[in-house]
């Protein structure tokens, strides 16, 4: 399919996502088209990572409904599709948050992701910047229907820099793509299959290749965390500042996470989708030396505070450079106001009927069209 | 007596050896195709025959071959899926064990039609003795000039390679099979691209079931139109059914898709009726992943017509009152069987065989298994049955490959048709450990012959 698209003239494709129409270049996936619109219409992505080739399609949180396949063939697609791995066609109509099927399926996926998750956020270093937390906040239920013992794994030491918590892993495979595409050799992978599949190194080999630290940045949950930052602080107590240094192996552009003048952690800079930022089209992965060894402010040229999304818990610590998220709800609703839970006046005739003047008890008929 | 096209010579002694096979008219289809037909004519013949994929989905084979991309200078591959691991299905095993040359003959003809000079047999790891049989047959075929360079002077080269799987059910899914064949972890690929465009080593590939490829031989020998005359409607030709469970005569039967389910179960030519004088309770007509049907819906459709052994008739009524032909693994359950236990066994299988790549299947299959085990052991709750229904609903259709659907359907069908049995398990936690629910509302529509009835 993808090949056929590329051969055609590079005219732009029109795609409508949740009633918002946008023109994108052929070969764009639905997810990336939705990201170009931004705001609420963007499906969440736990496994897809635009800078890692081959990623995506696994977590099923980005499922969307295709209401019309293309202008040429306007039939709807029979199943929900993974938006991160489905390319747009000209005239495609996609429903994301306006589709009940999608909301239902996404709630299901979140429930599946959480049934075996330890929910140890209070002691997890990822808490505060965890994609799974955000996802469950948005789509999860308040309680669980799972009544069984949660899955556990034997502890595995995978090296001096990275801490592995297999119980938190959602098997997005991002870290294996990092190891394949960034480091000189992949020494870890997925062992076993099904619900006992786990990330592990081959016979307890340590992961210490250069650039392997980027696995921490791509991990959507707290499965892979920075050993040098382990239990040092909560991220919302630290202050992120952009900094750079002249690094011979990487771009050297990082975010320093400080408490006072102390640098507690170094990460790559993230964009609004939680992915590593690109510079001139190249992803700004950082090397292990920058990440793990340069923990003094004197190592870095500090540029200023990092822009943090206003919705993030991290933004509570400082008030500079906040980013207001894009609001799209009015467009999605087609000009209608969203139906608010408390505001029943616009949709109900209750207030127009004088109940005391009725001869008997009020019935549903009383309220029909204000009669 | 139904017509047999695949197994008609299976009874001949030493038919697995080349000399006997050739003497009985083997490799005629290769001669006919390579000497008198163009590759497109062979494909056309398969299209005319109406042959449908015998692996489970029932997709028209000719159409599948027609989809194969044919870019210049890129090799094309034929892969035979012999990773038969569905519980209840053992037809390919029989075919390969007794008629290895039939498969090889079909492969050469098919490879000629598809223009692929390398064909692979991906065989289930547990079938280790069949690998030896096939290797021997390939050796014989090669020695006699049916494989190798310039076969029969037609300029067509073909080599067949066998690859053993390592015992994963998921590798029977075509894209997982290709990954495994490439030497990687057998995770299903995300489609599109489909194998017909980007398959094995990113080259156009056709993946077909063993029986499908074997059926090409009679199609070429007799002509597609002749083949299409057998059967009813779009269910043409003959189908191998591996019958097992509580029947008198388990085994692989070749049916010509004109008989009714009732005839298949009760006639002496086929299953010979329910064993030990018991009564028919339920049946899974197409391998473990298709919906289970209670006796009343199995023999008659919801419209009251007799259910036939065809793709259409078995699927009549959709999943609400029908099932699927699937791979032809015909599992019969009598009134001594417990549907809850049976469903649990299947859920355990799918939990074990899930590849763990996508979340609904990885987490959902294990969850269903645990709930079913509780209900089976009398520790279940009524809300658990509704929860099961909700879980299967959220798995179905939301996974990368059909294994998620295959895990969800049996649970859905069991709850749909046997909900009272599940509820009985919940309400009688101690009773359910000692005895089974029995036949209950799914009365055997057939009265068993007098004198054979054994008290329950």
């Amino acid at each position: 399919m993808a090949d056929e698209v590329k051969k055609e003239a590079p005219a732009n494709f029109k795609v409508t996502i949740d009633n918002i129409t946008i023109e994108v270049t052929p070969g764009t996936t639905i997810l990336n088209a939705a990201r170009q619109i931004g705001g609420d219409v963007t499906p969440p992505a736990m496994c897809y990572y635009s800078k890692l080739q081959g990623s995506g399609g696994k977590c099923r949180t980005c499922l969307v409904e295709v209401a019309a396949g293309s202008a040429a063939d306007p039939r709807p697609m029979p199943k929900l599709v993974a938006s991160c791995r489905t390319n747009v066609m000209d005239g495609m109509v996609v429903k994301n948050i306006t589709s009940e099927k999608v909301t239902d399926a996404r709630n299901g996926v979140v429930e599946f992701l959480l049934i075996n998750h330890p929910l140890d956020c209070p002691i997890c270093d990822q808490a505060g910047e965890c994609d799974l937390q955000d996802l469950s906040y948005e789509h999860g239920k308040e309680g669980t229907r799972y009544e069984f013992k949660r899955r556990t794994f034997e502890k595995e030491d995978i090296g001096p820099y990275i801490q592995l918590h297999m119980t938190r892993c959602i098997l997005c495979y991002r870290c294996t793509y990092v190891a394949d595409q960034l480091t000189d050799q992949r020494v870890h992978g997925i062992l076993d299959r099904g619900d006992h599949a786990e990330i592990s190194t081959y016979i307890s080999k340590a992961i210490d290749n250069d650039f392997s630290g980027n696995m921490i940045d791509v991990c959507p949950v707290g499965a892979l965390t920075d050993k040098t930052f382990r239990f040092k602080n909560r991220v919302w107590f630290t202050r992120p500042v952009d900094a750079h240094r002249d690094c011979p192996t990487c771009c050297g552009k990082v975010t320093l996470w400080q408490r006072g003048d102390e640098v507690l952690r170094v990460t790559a800079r993230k964009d609004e989708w939680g992915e590593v930022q690109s510079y001139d089209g190249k992803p700004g992965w950082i090397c292990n030396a920058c990440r793990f060894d340069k923990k003094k402010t004197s190592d870095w040229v500090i540029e200023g505070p990092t822009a943090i999304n206003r919705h993030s818990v991290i933004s509570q610590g400082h008030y500079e450079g906040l980013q207001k998220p894009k609001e799209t709800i009015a467009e999605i609703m087609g000009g209608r106001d969203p139906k608010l839970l408390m505001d029943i006046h616009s949709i109900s005739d209750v207030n127009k009927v004088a109940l005391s003047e009725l001869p008997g008890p009020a019935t549903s008929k009383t309220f029909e069209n204000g009669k | 007596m139904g017509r047999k096209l695949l197994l008609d010579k299976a009874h001949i002694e030493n038919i697995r050896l080349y000399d006997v096979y050739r003497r009985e008219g083997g490799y005629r289809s290769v001669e006919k195709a390579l000497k008198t037909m163009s590759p497109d004519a062979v494909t056309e013949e398969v299209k005319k025959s109406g042959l449908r994929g015998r692996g489970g989905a029932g997709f028209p084979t000719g159409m599948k071959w027609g989809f194969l991309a044919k870019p210049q200078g890129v090799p094309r591959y034929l892969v035979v899926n012999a990773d038969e691991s569905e519980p209840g299905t053992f037809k390919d095993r029989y075919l390969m064990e007794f008629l290895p040359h039939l498969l090889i003959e079909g492969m050469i003809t098919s490879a000629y039609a598809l223009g692929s000079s390398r064909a692979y047999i991906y065989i289930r790891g547990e079938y280790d003795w069949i690998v030896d049989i096939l290797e021997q047959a390939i050796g014989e075929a090669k020695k006699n000039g049916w494989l190798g360079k310039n076969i029969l002077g037609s300029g067509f080269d073909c080599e067949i390679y066998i690859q053993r799987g390592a015992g994963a059910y998921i590798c029977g899914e075509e894209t997982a099979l290709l990954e495994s064949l490439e030497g990687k972890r057998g995770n299903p690929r995300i489609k599109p691209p489909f194998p017909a465009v980007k398959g094995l080593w990113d080259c156009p590939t056709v993946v077909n079931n063993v029986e499908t490829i074997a059926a090409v031989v009679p199609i070429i020998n007799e002509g597609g139109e002749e083949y299409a005359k057998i059967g009813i409607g779009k269910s043409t030709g003959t189908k191998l059914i591996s019958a097992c469970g509580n029947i008198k005569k388990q085994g692989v039967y070749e049916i010509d898709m004109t008989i009714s389910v009732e005839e298949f179960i009760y006639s002496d030519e086929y299953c010979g009726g329910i064993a030990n004088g018991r009564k028919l309770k339920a049946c899974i007509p197409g391998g473990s992943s298709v919906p289970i049907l209670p006796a009343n819906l199995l023999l008659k459709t919801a419209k009251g017509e007799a259910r036939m052994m065809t793709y259409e008739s078995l699927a009549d009524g959709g999943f609400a009152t029908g099932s699927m032909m699937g791979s032809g693994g015909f599992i019969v359950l009598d009134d001594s069987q417990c549907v809850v236990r049976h469903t649990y066994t299947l859920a355990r299988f799918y939990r074990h065989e899930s590849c763990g790549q996508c979340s609904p299947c990885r987490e959902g299959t294990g969850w269903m298994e645990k709930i079913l085990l509780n209900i089976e052991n009398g520790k279940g709750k009524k809300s658990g049955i509704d929860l099961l229904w909700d879980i299967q609903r959220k798995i179905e259709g939301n996974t990368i490959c059909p294994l998620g659907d295959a895990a969800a359907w049996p649970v859905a069908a069991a709850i749909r048709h046997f909900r009272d049995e599940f509820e009985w398990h919940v309400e009688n936690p101690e009773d359910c450990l000692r005895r089974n629910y029995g036949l209950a509302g799914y009365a055997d529509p057939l009265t068993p012959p007098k004198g054979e009835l054994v008290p329950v």
Side-chain angles (χ1 to χ4, degrees):
Chain A
M1 290 281 213
D3 294 344
E4 288 165 31
V5 171
K6 274 172 201 156
K7 272 175 222 156
E8 284 178 26
N12 278 354
F13 279 179
K14 259 192 186 159
V15 55
T16 307
I17 303 170
D18 282 341
N19 300 329
I20 301 176
T21 307
I22 187 179
E23 282 195 13
V24 296
T25 47
T28 312
T29 59
I30 298 175
L31 183 76
N32 280 330
R35 281 185 176 182
Q36 288 177 27
I37 298 172
D40 298 307
V41 303
T42 315
M46 299 294 288
C47 65
Y48 173 74
Y49 205 88
S50 63
K51 279 103 192 165
L52 295 172
Q53 228 191 342
S55 68
K58 296 178 171 62
C59 69
R60 318 307 281 176
T61 53
C62 70
L63 290 175
V64 291
E65 183 183 344
V66 177
S70 65
D73 180 11
R75 284 177 304 172
M77 290 190 185
K79 285 182 184 178
L80 303 181
V81 298
S83 61
C84 62
R85 292 292 292 260
T86 311
N87 286 348
V88 295
M89 304 294 283
D90 196 22
M92 188 183 257
V93 178
V94 178
K95 283 173 153 189
N96 178 22
I97 58 171
T98 49
S99 161
E100 272 177 35
K101 255 164 87 184
V102 170
T103 321
D104 185 49
R106 198 167 288 158
N107 290 349
V109 171
V110 175
E111 188 174 18
F112 286 136
L113 286 177
L114 288 175
I115 58 169
N116 277 310
H117 192 81
L119 295 175
D120 55 351
C121 309
I123 55 147
C124 176
D125 278 328
Q126 187 86 1
E129 48 178 20
C130 173
D131 289 355
L132 190 58
Q133 270 187 331
D134 296 347
L135 188 75
S136 8
Y137 186 73
E138 198 117 327
H139 303 280
K141 290 199 184 78
E142 66 277 15
T144 179
R145 298 187 285 177
Y146 191 69
E147 298 172 331
F148 306 95
K149 237 181 122 180
R150 283 162 198 260
R151 182 172 61 219
T152 52
F153 295 89
E154 236 169 77
K155 272 207 180 123
E156 188 94 40
D157 187 4
I158 59 165
Y161 296 127
I162 305 171
Q163 179 68 37
L164 170 70
H165 283 277
M166 194 49 220
T167 47
R168 296 173 187 160
C169 180
I170 59 160
L171 288 172
C172 68
Y173 285 61
R174 279 181 187 175
C175 58
T176 61
Y177 291 114
V178 165
D180 269 338
Q181 291 165 30
L182 292 179
T183 68
D184 50 355
Q185 197 196 359
R186 175 154 73 93
V187 292
H188 83 294
I190 316 282
L191 306 186
D192 273 329
R193 70 170 179 231
D195 57 358
H196 44 283
E198 61 174 313
I199 302 274
S200 191
T201 49
Y202 181 60
I203 318 183
S204 294
K205 206 172 169 185
I207 299 176
D208 54 3
N209 326 33
D210 203 5
F211 283 88
S212 61
N214 289 298
M215 286 178 207
I216 300 165
D217 279 349
V218 301
C219 184
V221 292
L224 298 170
T225 49
D226 191 335
K227 254 191 190 169
T228 61
F229 179 60
R230 192 162 151 77
F231 301 143
K232 285 260 178 76
N233 222 309
R234 308 305 320 213
V235 286
W236 56 87
F237 292 142
T238 60
R239 182 184 60 218
V241 293
D242 285 349
H244 67 265
R245 70 181 269 264
D246 206 9
C247 177
T249 46
C250 71
C251 68
K253 290 181 177 149
V254 300
T255 300
L256 304 180
W257 299 79
Q258 293 181 311
R259 185 102 194 243
D261 282 337
E262 196 185 352
V263 177
L264 295 177
R265 182 172 70 140
V266 183
T267 65
R269 289 187 203 169
K270 306 275 182 82
D271 63 12
E272 56 185 315
W273 311 114
E275 294 184 1
V276 167
Q277 240 168 31
S278 288
Y279 306 100
D280 306 323
K282 274 170 125 182
W285 306 111
I286 60 168
C287 64
N288 280 10
C290 284
R291 185 187 299 272
F292 299 118
D293 301 337
K294 305 289 173 192
K295 293 278 178 85
K296 281 192 293 231
T297 34
S298 56
D299 293 329
W300 299 96
V301 181
I302 291 176
E303 296 167 15
T306 306
I308 291 286
N309 189 311
R310 189 168 60 86
H311 282 179
S312 165
V313 66
I314 300 166
S315 71
Q316 66 135 16
H318 65 112
Y319 302 96
E320 275 180 84
L322 290 194
Q323 277 182 331
K324 197 164 180 277
K326 191 178 172 188
E327 297 292 344
T328 47
I329 199 80
E331 267 181 283
I332 296 164
M333 303 295 288
R336 278 183 296 124
D337 282 335
K339 285 175 186 165
L340 297 176
L341 200 61
M342 297 302 292
D343 182 23
I344 58 166
H345 302 287
S346 61
I347 53 161
S348 157
D349 293 318
V350 168
N351 290 353
K352 293 173 194 158
V353 179
L355 289 171
S356 57
E357 287 167 22
L358 291 178
T363 63
S364 59
K365 278 206 168 155
T366 320
F367 300 108
E368 272 174 15
N369 308 319
K371 273 173 208 165
Chain B
M1 188 80 186
R3 233 179 120 190
K4 288 188 179 176
L5 294 173
L6 301 175
L7 301 184
D8 53 345
K9 301 202 180 80
H11 61 279
I12 297 169
E13 207 176 337
N14 286 334
I15 188 80
R16 78 169 59 148
L17 301 178
Y18 173 78
D19 293 334
V20 181
Y21 184 75
R22 178 75 177 140
R23 197 177 62 223
E24 294 293 332
Y27 288 100
R28 265 190 304 140
S29 75
V30 179
E31 280 177 319
K32 184 174 172 188
L34 265 60
K35 283 185 178 160
T36 64
M37 296 165 85
S38 71
D40 286 342
V42 177
T43 309
E44 204 47 47
E45 217 50 49
V46 174
K47 272 186 189 162
K48 267 193 244 165
S49 74
L51 175 68
R52 294 172 65 169
R54 303 297 197 222
F59 192 79
T61 306
M63 203 190 280
K64 192 176 193 172
W65 289 10
F67 286 153
L68 185 71
K70 292 181 176 166
Q72 281 297 312
V74 178
R76 300 188 282 273
Y77 294 104
L78 169 69
V79 177
V80 173
N81 184 347
D83 191 79
E84 180 181 55
S85 334
E86 181 119 326
T89 310
F90 45 90
K91 62 186 176 66
D92 296 344
R93 162 183 166 177
Y94 188 88
L95 200 69
M96 291 187 288
E97 227 180 322
F98 290 92
L99 295 156
H101 281 286
L102 185 69
L103 173 63
I104 292 162
E105 184 181 349
M107 282 178 77
I108 300 167
T109 315
S110 310
Y112 173 69
L114 298 168
S116 91
S117 54
R118 271 158 180 257
Y120 293 86
I121 303 173
Y122 185 90
I123 189 164
R124 178 181 181 187
E126 287 89 334
Y127 286 175
D128 56 347
W129 73 100
I130 301 180
V131 176
D132 299 338
I133 294 171
L134 285 171
E135 291 276 14
Q136 189 194 354
I138 290 171
E140 285 175 331
K142 212 167 182 173
K143 215 168 76 189
N144 289 286
W146 300 102
L147 286 172
K149 294 247 179 266
N150 198 10
I151 301 164
L152 299 180
S154 64
F156 172 65
D157 312 330
C158 185
E159 289 289 351
I160 295 178
Y161 302 93
I162 300 180
Q163 175 62 44
R164 271 181 70 181
Y169 172 68
I170 189 65
C171 290
E173 199 276 339
E174 58 175 2
T175 53
L177 187 153
L178 295 177
E179 286 279 300
S180 176
L181 198 51
E182 288 178 14
K184 300 181 203 154
R185 182 185 162 87
N187 275 358
R189 293 177 186 169
I190 294 142
K191 293 186 261 187
F194 290 93
V197 181
K198 263 189 176 182
L200 190 60
W201 291 298
D202 280 354
C203 297
T205 306
V206 163
V207 184
N208 273 135
N209 181 259
V210 169
E211 191 192 340
T212 317
I213 293 295
V216 171
V217 174
I219 288 170
I220 298 304
N221 280 340
E222 307 203 3
E225 277 163 21
E226 223 22 64
Y227 187 86
K229 282 180 192 160
I230 310 168
I232 306 171
K234 282 184 180 166
S235 303
T236 58
T238 62
K239 172 94 185 79
L240 297 185
I241 303 284
S242 54
C244 61
N246 306 114
I247 45 174
K248 282 191 186 143
K249 298 193 290 175
Q250 293 96 343
V252 177
Y253 296 98
E254 184 169 10
I255 59 161
D256 59 3
M257 294 211 259
T258 53
I259 61 166
S260 67
V261 177
E262 186 179 328
E263 187 187 342
F264 184 71
I265 296 180
Y266 290 98
S267 82
D268 284 336
E269 191 186 328
Y270 301 107
C271 303
I274 309 298
N276 304 324
R278 286 189 171 269
K279 291 175 182 169
L280 174 66
K281 178 178 187 176
C283 172
I284 303 171
S288 67
S289 53
V290 311
I292 187 171
L293 281 182
N296 49 358
L297 282 174
L298 175 72
L299 302 183
K300 289 225 162 56
T301 65
K303 294 176 209 148
E305 295 158 3
R307 207 181 276 282
M308 310 297 286
M309 293 288 283
T310 64
Y311 286 96
E312 287 80 23
S313 185
L314 282 172
D316 188 87
F319 280 0
T321 58
S323 183
M324 269 170 85
M325 172 68 107
S327 57
F330 200 84
I331 309 171
V332 179
L333 279 71
D334 71 17
D335 54 352
S336 68
Q337 300 294 326
C338 173
V339 171
V340 180
R341 174 148 201 91
H342 173 83
T343 313
Y344 160 69
T345 313
L346 291 182
R348 190 182 57 186
F349 172 78
Y350 288 110
R351 197 268 298 151
H352 184 69
E353 297 295 347
S354 165
C355 78
Q357 195 183 193
C358 62
S359 12
C361 176
R362 177 182 69 233
E363 308 290 353
T365 49
W367 195 2
M368 290 201 298
E369 185 210 349
K370 289 189 179 105
I371 297 172
L372 279 163
L373 182 64
N374 267 0
I375 297 178
E376 162 64 16
N377 287 339
K379 293 176 196 152
K381 283 185 270 184
K382 273 238 171 107
S383 62
I385 305 170
D386 297 321
L387 183 56
L388 269 180
W389 182 265
D390 201 43
I391 298 170
Q392 69 80 19
R393 193 175 59 84
K394 281 175 173 158
I395 298 175
E396 192 204 337
N398 294 340
T399 52
I400 295 174
C401 80
L403 191 133
D405 300 343
W409 289 341
V411 176
I415 297 177
R416 191 183 293 123
H417 299 302
F418 298 91
R419 199 184 174 101
D420 48 352
E421 188 161 345
F422 281 83
E423 285 174 357
W424 178 80
H425 263 257
V426 174
E427 285 159 6
N428 303 285
E430 282 173 16
D431 228 13
C432 76
L433 297 176
R434 285 197 303 271
R435 67 183 187 93
N436 284 335
Y437 189 63
L439 197 60
Y442 330 106
D444 184 356
L446 295 183
T447 5
K450 273 179 190 162
E452 275 185 40
L453 189 69
V454 177
V456 180

